[in-house]
């Protein structure tokens, strides 16, 4: 009995040591690597210039519009272009990328609070730091590494627009606007070391991970919850800026706030329309995949209801 008890105790201790080692290894990979700790946003990095931002967004809009017009001319309207497993693989990749960025940003934020809290202990709490960077914050270090990773992931995210055009033969202003705004906002977060970006990225990557992994109507509800949390956090940033000595990057924050208002209005319009269409039994929700749902929302934005044949 004693021997069995000792063996069990040794086995349990070994498992705990293994779990601790694994967690430490993951934490190192996510927030303690030299390349992450020493990251610094600079003009020599890929995608870090204003000219690149303008050209990339313009190219995205022009390419999407051109593809849509070419398909209208060359292929009979309503006939989809088969893509096989590509949309599903894209959804899987975006879900995994979102999970990695979420975990990386969370681990890095905890590490930054631990390492720098002594500097601002008397003036801020961790929550205040997450909402409001101190004046003079530079775009360097752990959290800005993952902010850069999020910025790069937005260019992969826009592929969804081309899938929609090819599969549903539809071009939505909402998709073009929303994807372009996300690229622009994530660039401004880095360029101006904007306050609030840590929470925004955590919320967005969590939502994207769930959206690409599950089905509608969970998709729309996640977006709605995110927008509500986003609005509450923006109010928190504003209060901290005026009553706690100022926040860094408030010019970019104000511009992003205006863009967020437009995104919120467009989304609410789409959400309300889709909600009433579901109630009228326009399609079978339980049979919809994530890619079909996004295409459905896109088609409803342009006032084109899906028929049973298209489903």
């Amino acid at each position: 009995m004693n021997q069995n008890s000792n063996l069990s105790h040794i086995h349990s201790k070994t498992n705990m040591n293994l779990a601790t080692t694994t967690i430490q290894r993951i934490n190192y990979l996510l927030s303690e690597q030299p390349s992450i700790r020493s990251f610094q946003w600079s003009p020599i990095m890929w995608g870090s210039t204003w000219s690149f931002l303008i050209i990339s967004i313009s190219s995205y809009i022009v390419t999407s519009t051109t593809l849509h017009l070419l398909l209208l001319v060359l292929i009979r309207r309503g006939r989809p272009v088969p893509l096989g497993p590509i949309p599903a693989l894209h959804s899987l990749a975006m879900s995994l990328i979102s999970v990695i960025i979420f975990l990386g940003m969370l681990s890095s934020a905890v590490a930054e609070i631990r390492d720098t809290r002594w500097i601002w202990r008397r003036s801020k709490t961790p929550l205040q730091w997450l909402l409001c960077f101190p004046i003079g914050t530079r775009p360097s270090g752990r959290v800005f590494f993952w902010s850069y990773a999020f910025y790069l992931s937005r260019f992969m995210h826009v592929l969804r627009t081309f899938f929609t055009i090819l599969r549903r033969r539809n071009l939505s202003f909402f998709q073009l606007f929303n994807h372009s705004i996300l690229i622009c906002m994530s660039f401004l977060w880095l360029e101006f070391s904007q306050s609030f970006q840590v929470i925004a990225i955590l919320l967005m990557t969590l939502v994207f991970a769930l959206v690409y992994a599950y089905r509608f109507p969970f998709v729309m509800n996640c977006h709605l919850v995110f927008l509500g949390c986003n609005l509450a956090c923006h109010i928190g940033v504003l209060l901290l800026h005026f009553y706690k000595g100022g926040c860094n990057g408030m010019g970019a924050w104000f511009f992003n706030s205006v863009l967020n208002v437009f995104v919120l209005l467009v989304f609410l319009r789409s959400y309300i329309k889709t909600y009433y269409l579901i109630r009228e039994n326009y399609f079978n929700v339980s049979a919809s995949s994530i890619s079909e749902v996004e295409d459905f929302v896109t088609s409803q934005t342009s006032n084109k209801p899906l028929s049973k044949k298209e489903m």
Side-chain angles (χ1 to χ4, degrees), residues 186-301:
S186 55
F187 175 87
L188 294 177
W189 289 345
L190 288 160
E191 185 69 13
F192 296 102
S193 306
Q194 184 192 311
S195 298
F196 170 66
Q197 64 177 280
V198 174
I199 290 182
I201 292 174
L202 287 174
L203 289 173
M204 283 189 183
T205 50
L206 179 60
V207 168
F208 284 135
L210 296 174
V211 163
Y212 279 105
Y214 290 93
R215 296 179 176 182
F216 191 84
F218 188 63
V219 173
M220 297 287 280
N221 292 332
C222 280
H223 277 296
L224 190 60
V225 171
F226 160 71
L227 290 172
C229 293
N230 191 36
L231 178 62
C233 290
H234 271 283
I235 295 173
V237 172
L238 193 63
L239 293 175
L240 289 172
H241 177 68
F242 284 109
Y243 296 104
K244 292 292 183 178
C247 300
N248 200 72
M250 287 304 292
W253 174 88
F254 176 77
F255 181 71
N256 280 336
S257 297
V258 174
L259 297 179
N260 275 323
V261 169
F262 284 108
V263 172
L264 177 61
L265 293 176
V266 174
F267 177 82
L268 287 177
R269 176 177 175 271
S270 176
Y271 184 89
I272 293 171
K273 289 180 64 176
T274 305
Y275 173 77
Y276 282 107
L277 286 173
I278 292 174
R279 292 192 63 179
E280 294 173 12
N281 297 318
Y282 266 63
F283 69 101
N284 184 1
V285 174
S286 62
S288 298
S289 67
I290 179 64
S291 58
E292 290 171 336
V293 166
E294 289 194 351
D295 295 338
F296 170 77
V297 174
T298 300
S299 65
Q300 300 312 316
T301 307

Side-chain angles (χ1 to χ4, degrees), residues 158-175:
V158 301
L159 293 177
R160 178 61 56 184
T161 301
F162 300 105
F163 297 157
T164 300
I165 294 173
L166 293 171
R167 295 182 64 185
R168 295 294 176 185
R169 307 292 307 284
N170 182 65
L171 179 62
S172 167
F173 167 77
F174 174 73
Q175 273 194 327

Side-chain angles (χ1 to χ4, degrees), residues 14-25:
T14 302
N15 288 338
M16 290 181 62
N17 291 335
L18 180 61
T20 302
T21 303
T22 302
I23 292 174
Q24 291 175 345
R25 179 61 179 172

